[in-house]
Amino acid sequence: MSGEGLVEVVLPGKVEPEGLQIRSGAVPVAGPGQVLIRMEATGVSFAEQQMRRGRYYDQPPFPFVPGYDLVGTVQATGAGVDPALAGTRVAVLLRVGGWASHVLVDAADVVPVPEGIGAAEAETLVVNGVTAWRMLHRTARVRAGQTVVVLGANGGVGSVLVQLARAAGARVIGTASARHHDALRDQGVVPVDYRAGDVAARIRALAPGGVDAVFDHVGGTGIVDSWRLLAPGGTLVSYGSAATRDDEGSGQWPVLRLLGRVWLWNALPNGRRAYFFNLWAGRALAKDRFRARLRADLTEVFAAYLRGDVTARIAARLPLGDIAEALRLAESGTVAGKVVLEP
């Protein structure tokens, strides 16, 4: 082990995927309360696609090491940490820092990965799984017999949302391009082609009385259509702004515009609610509560995987050094599932 060095991917500024840099260094040492994790799998999320354009809502100043989440084995423990953690496989939600062979994190932030789940499989379920679980069960509180709409039903979060909603007994209408429709039907989803003109009208035809929840990662002006699909008492969960991914300018404006719209809609007296989902809400104010809830939710997602309610969809597995190719593949929109990076 002593011969190992640190390898990490650095985002130096607003660059094309080829502009990311590979940096080597010494493996860091775990301080008090920390563990050193040897990365086994990390991945490309929508967040990093925004970050390289300088458009992620809350990104740190350049240069930095991206990587929203990772799965790995605890290699060393710092003072005050249970030494028995060494050698265990864990998952961590980081926001940044995961695209590295070795990562230091607070021991309180790691979630054990159960036996029977491989590192790459677990990696597909960390940020996407927790996001989907929380939106479905904590935000929209979807119940059996309800009807929900998932935009981008084939996407990273969308594909997990669809499976969890079906497991909860909901009827699911999912938008995707036509080539994914057979796979969606196999999962019990009613597919709608988002490229074939008035999507909202076709969803309304399938659910004339409105739907109980809409999960919208697109944002932009289409969010109004999503709101209008809701039945009285329904919930709109907006969790991204894919529509504005390639726009120039501030990454904050699309979010602030959405928040303004959500605030206005929630003031209307029709029992419908709109939420702008933020995975990190509450962390600054109540870190222990945030960690406990994250551990509970991710444990639920892993259990759903072991039950067969959710599958791990790996689009491709590439070494960390092939980050440009991995990012291009993830951004191409041609793959189903998550692009996973391995050391």
Side-chain angles (χ1 to χ4, degrees), residues 78 108 160 202 287:
V160 184
R202 277 176 300 135
K287 198 175 262 189

Side-chain angles (χ1 to χ4, degrees), residues 73-94:
T73 300
V74 176
Q75 191 166 310
T77 56
V81 178
D82 181 0
L85 263 180
T88 57
R89 179 173 281 166
V90 294
V92 196
L93 195 61
L94 296 158

Side-chain angles (χ1 to χ4, degrees), residues 203-224:
I203 294 173
R204 219 169 279 116
L206 292 167
V211 300
D212 299 292
V214 178
F215 299 95
D216 184 324
H217 70 304
V218 181
T221 52
I223 197 89
V224 178

Side-chain angles (χ1 to χ4, degrees), residues 26-316:
V27 173
V29 176
Q34 289 185 319
V35 294
L36 173 68
I37 298 175
R38 190 163 180 275
M39 184 269 284
E40 293 177 87
T42 180
V44 182
S45 304
F46 183 68
E48 290 99 22
Q49 301 173 33
Q50 296 277 65
M51 285 177 189
R52 77 165 184 83
R53 295 169 168 85
R55 294 184 50 77
Y56 187 72
Y57 183 65
D58 212 6
Q59 72 189 66
F62 297 116
F64 63 93
V65 176
Y68 214 87
D69 56 5
L70 72 82
V71 172
T73 300
V74 176
Q75 191 166 310
T77 56
V81 178
D82 181 0
L85 263 180
T88 57
R89 179 173 281 166
V90 294
V92 196
L93 195 61
L94 296 158
R95 192 181 287 183
V96 294
W99 289 359
S101 61
H102 300 78
V103 181
L104 279 183
V105 299
D106 288 342
D109 285 326
V110 306
V111 179
V113 176
E115 286 288 316
I117 308 185
E121 286 74 20
E123 159 59 25
T124 68
L125 298 170
V126 184
V127 63
N128 291 347
V130 170
T131 298
W133 178 271
R134 207 165 269 185
M135 292 194 304
L136 191 78
H137 292 293
R138 291 191 186 271
T139 307
R141 302 200 168 130
V142 168
R143 298 181 304 281
Q146 293 189 325
T147 298
V148 306
V149 172
V150 177
L151 302 186
N154 192 62
V157 174
S159 58
V160 184
L161 252 175
V162 159
Q163 295 177 82
L164 289 174
R166 292 293 296 142
R171 176 191 181 215
V172 179
I173 299 168
T175 69
S177 57
R179 68 175 179 275
H180 300 301
H181 286 194
D182 285 345
L184 287 171
R185 283 190 198 96
D186 288 345
Q187 296 175 75
V189 175
V190 180
V192 170
D193 186 351
Y194 70 85
R195 291 178 171 159
D198 200 342
V199 173
R202 277 176 300 135
I203 294 173
R204 219 169 279 116
L206 292 167
V211 300
D212 299 292
V214 178
F215 299 95
D216 184 324
H217 70 304
V218 181
T221 52
I223 197 89
V224 178
D225 287 332
S226 293
W227 173 255
R228 288 179 182 146
L229 289 171
L230 294 176
T235 305
L236 167 63
V237 187
S238 167
Y239 68 102
S241 50
T244 57
R245 185 186 79 176
D246 297 321
D247 291 5
E248 291 301 314
S250 161
Q252 304 204 350
W253 265 118
V255 176
L256 294 172
R257 273 202 299 268
L258 269 176
L259 286 171
R261 222 166 223 159
V262 162
W263 183 84
L264 279 170
W265 283 337
N266 285 334
L268 299 172
N270 59 19
R272 295 184 289 184
R273 305 289 301 166
Y275 294 92
F276 187 77
F277 180 80
N278 174 11
L279 190 56
W280 299 93
R283 188 170 196 270
L285 298 171
K287 198 175 262 189
D288 289 345
R289 186 162 167 261
F290 177 87
R291 284 166 163 161
R293 200 165 70 167
L294 177 65
R295 179 171 291 218
D297 291 349
L298 188 48
T299 301
E300 289 276 12
V301 172
F302 287 149
Y305 172 81
L306 290 172
R307 278 197 305 272
D309 288 348
V310 174
T311 55
R313 303 180 67 190
I314 301 167

